């Protein structure tokens, strides 16, 4: 739903941090963005530890996946991409829901994944730069100790 007041600044900041942390492989840092009752139907998990473990496991099985920030209408989202020949192919969208944490801060309390076609007039997403493909996707090697 498009909000005539524009996107929620807290949601925008959380979506941007989510993208930055996941692309960097900083799953520990990701925990700071998640509500204690976070759930994700597409990952089949709930609770910060289980959601993070499932997300990390999914991305380790698909190391070429990178995320960019996007908007679907006025909703801040993350866009999943996979390297394809001479560019990237959009895989799907990560949609967020939010709730207030114990200290009143806004946290992510839901992650949904959609791989449907969307109205191009509603989706704003920049494709990753193919020049960064090798460098940006090497965190899995760093994590396993196989990198430079």
């Amino acid at each position: 739903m498009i909000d005539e007041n524009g996107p929620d600044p807290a949601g925008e900041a959380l979506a941007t941090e989510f993208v930055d942390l996941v692309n960097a492989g900083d799953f520990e840092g990701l925990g700071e963005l998640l509500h204690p009752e976070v759930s994700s139907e597409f990952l089949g998990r709930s609770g910060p530890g289980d959601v993070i473990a499932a997300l990390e496991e999914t991305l380790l099985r698909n190391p070429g996946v990178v995320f960019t920030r996007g908007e679907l209408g006025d909703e801040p989202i993350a866009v999943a991409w996979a390297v394809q020949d001479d560019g990237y192919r959009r895989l799907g969208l990560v949609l967020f829901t939010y709730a207030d944490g114990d200290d009143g801060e806004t946290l992510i309390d839901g992650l949904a994944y959609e791989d449907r076609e969307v109205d191009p007039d509603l989706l704003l997403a920049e494709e990753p730069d193919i020049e960064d493909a090798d460098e940006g996707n090497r965190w899995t090697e760093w994590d396993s100790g196989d990198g430079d």
Side-chain angles (χ1 to χ4, degrees):
M1 173 193 272
I2 296 177
D3 181 350
E4 55 191 50
N5 296 321
D8 174 31
E12 283 192 351
L14 286 168
T16 298
E17 275 192 84
F18 175 89
V19 167
D20 292 344
L21 291 169
V22 172
N23 284 342
D26 184 357
F27 295 101
E28 186 175 309
L30 185 60
E32 296 176 17
L33 307 182
L34 303 180
H35 191 276
E37 296 179 20
V38 65
S39 65
S40 176
E41 210 171 286
F42 85 93
L43 293 171
R45 305 283 174 86
S46 60
D50 288 343
V51 167
I52 290 169
L55 181 61
E56 184 174 13
E57 181 179 302
T58 299
L59 293 173
L60 285 171
R61 286 192 315 265
N62 301 282
V65 173
V66 295
F67 292 87
T68 61
R69 258 281 282 118
E71 292 179 6
L72 186 59
D74 275 342
E75 294 298 316
I77 62 171
V79 182
W81 302 86
V83 175
Q84 172 183 307
D85 300 323
D86 60 348
Y88 280 88
R89 154 178 81 86
R90 191 179 80 222
L91 298 174
L93 312 174
V94 178
L95 309 171
F96 304 100
T97 57
Y98 308 97
D100 289 337
D102 293 337
D103 297 326
E105 75 281 21
T106 301
L107 298 170
I108 297 170
D109 81 333
L111 298 169
Y113 181 80
E114 296 184 1
D115 61 359
R116 64 182 167 89
E117 287 298 317
V118 295
D119 181 344
D121 292 334
L122 291 178
L123 179 63
L124 174 64
E126 187 171 326
E127 184 174 317
D129 185 349
I130 193 64
E131 298 297 318
D132 297 333
D134 289 336
E135 184 177 331
N137 292 318
R138 299 224 11 212
W139 66 264
T140 54
E141 292 176 2
W142 299 334
D143 189 51
S144 66
D146 296 337
D148 298 329

